[in-house]
Structures are given as structure tokens and as C-alpha cells.
């Protein structure tokens, strides 16, 4: 968790709120270096959150003493911004670099897929059975008949593992 930063996260912004509204509100706390709203590329509307970077870390501490601020008659949440790496689970960030997909990392982490079961085999298994990007949507997890093994902490019930 980051304790000293110049950047805050601002969440819960209303649709009509503009970047100028955000800047003008936060300028009362101290000088702003940068501000941005995160936009949806397809709709070209902001996604209801953004970031404000101040010139001083002390200003961030002052802003974050008040967790909720009112901008355009809407309460918005303000927190110290965290780097992307901090927001990911630790083991997910490590194994991503090793070449597994985020989905595989989550499934292995939850114990759903046994260690050593290749992601490519699962992708091949799920390929003709729906959208393989989301195999949990109506698709069973690989069974012992597909994998050829039953992990020691699983029980085989028909074609499915429990």
C-alpha cells in the first residue's frame, strides 16, 4: 500500500461532470499538476472516475482526510492512487510475467485447475463449446477424462470433478 503519493483516485463522478469541474473543485486544496478522467473509447463518455495529481504529497494527505467530497451535487470517493501492480494480487502479478493468462492464474490460485495442466489444453477443450474467453459461462471445467488424472483433493463424479 502506497503511503506517500501526489496522485489521488476520484470515483463516483456523475455523467455530466467535466474535467474542469474536477480541477476547479480540487484547486481549493492546493496546486494541481495534472488531472484526467478515464473515458470509454466506444461511447466517448467518461467512466465515472479519474485521477488528480497535485504538486505536493501533503495536499494529497489533506484531501484524503475527507473520504467523500461533493462535486456537482454528487458524493465522490477520494483515495490515494495505487500503482497497477499494487492493485493486482501478488501471485497474479508474478505469474503473469511467466506467461500464464489472468484467467489461468485465478483458476490455479483457487485450486480449480491442477498445477501442470497446460492452458493450451484447456483452450483446446473449450474451443468448440462456446466463447472460450469465459469458460465458466455454462461450460464444465475439464474432467478426469479430458485430463487423464484426478487430483488428490478432488472427487470424480461422472464426468465432473467436485
Amino acid at each position: 500500500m502506497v503511503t506517500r503519493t501526489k496522485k489521488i483516485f476520484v470515483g463516483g463522478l456523475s455523467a455530466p461532470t467535466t474535467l474542469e469541474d474536477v480541477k476547479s473543485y480540487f484547486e481549493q486544496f492546493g496546486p494541481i499538476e495534472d488531472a484526467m478522467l478515464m473515458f470509454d473509447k466506444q461511447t466517448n463518455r467518461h467512466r465515472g472516475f479519474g485521477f488528480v495529481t497535485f504538486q505536493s504529497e501533503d495536499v494529497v494527505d489533506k484531501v484524503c482526510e475527507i473520504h467523500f467530497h461533493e462535486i456537482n451535487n454528487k458524493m465522490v470517493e477520494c483515495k490515494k492512487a495505487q500503482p497497477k501492480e499494487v492493485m493486482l494480487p501478488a501471485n497474479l502479478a508474478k505469474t503473469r510475467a511467466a506467461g500464464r493468462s489472468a484467467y489461468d492464474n485465478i483458476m490455479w490460485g483457487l485450486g480449480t485447475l491442477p498445477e501442470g495442466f497446460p492452458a493450451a489444453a484447456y483452450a483446446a477443450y473449450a474451443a468448440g463449446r462456446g466463447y472460450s474467453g469465459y469458460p465458466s459461462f455454462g461450460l464444465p471445467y475439464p474432467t478426469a477424462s479430458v485430463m487423464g488424472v484426478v487430483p488428490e483433493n478432488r472427487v470424480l463424479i461422472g464426468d465432473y470433478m467436485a
Side-chain angles (χ1 to χ4, degrees), residues 17 40 47 96 134 137:
T17 301
D40 183 316
R47 297 170 56 195
R96 254 195 187 169
Y134 296 98
F137 283 94

Side-chain angles (χ1 to χ4, degrees), residues 17 34-35 54 71 101 128 143 154 156 158:
T17 301
D34 187 30
F54 294 94
I71 301 176
S101 72
T143 64
R154 301 282 186 217
L156 186 62

Side-chain angles (χ1 to χ4, degrees), residues 86-145:
V86 173
M87 299 305 288
L88 291 172
N91 63 346
L92 184 63
K94 287 178 197 168
T95 54
R96 254 195 187 169
R100 286 186 185 163
S101 72
Y103 175 79
D104 290 337
N105 289 325
I106 292 167
M107 292 298 106
W108 264 286
L110 294 173
T112 306
L113 297 176
E115 192 62 48
F117 181 72
Y122 185 71
Y125 164 77
R129 308 202 54 199
Y131 181 59
S132 63
Y134 296 98
S136 62
F137 283 94
L139 297 174
Y141 291 111
T143 64
S145 61

Side-chain angles (χ1 to χ4, degrees), residues 51-119:
F51 297 92
V52 177
T53 305
F54 294 94
Q55 291 180 4
S56 165
E57 295 170 339
D58 296 332
V59 175
V60 169
D61 292 337
K62 189 164 63 171
V63 169
C64 291
E65 283 177 8
I66 308 164
H67 190 71
F68 289 97
H69 296 257
E70 187 175 339
I71 301 176
N72 287 348
N73 299 316
K74 175 105 172 25
M75 298 305 286
V76 298
E77 181 182 25
C78 294
K79 302 189 281 190
K80 291 180 180 182
Q82 302 288 324
K84 290 177 190 173
E85 297 78 26
V86 173
M87 299 305 288
L88 291 172
N91 63 346
L92 184 63
K94 287 178 197 168
T95 54
R96 254 195 187 169
R100 286 186 185 163
S101 72
Y103 175 79
D104 290 337
N105 289 325
I106 292 167
M107 292 298 106
W108 264 286
L110 294 173
T112 306
L113 297 176
E115 192 62 48
F117 181 72

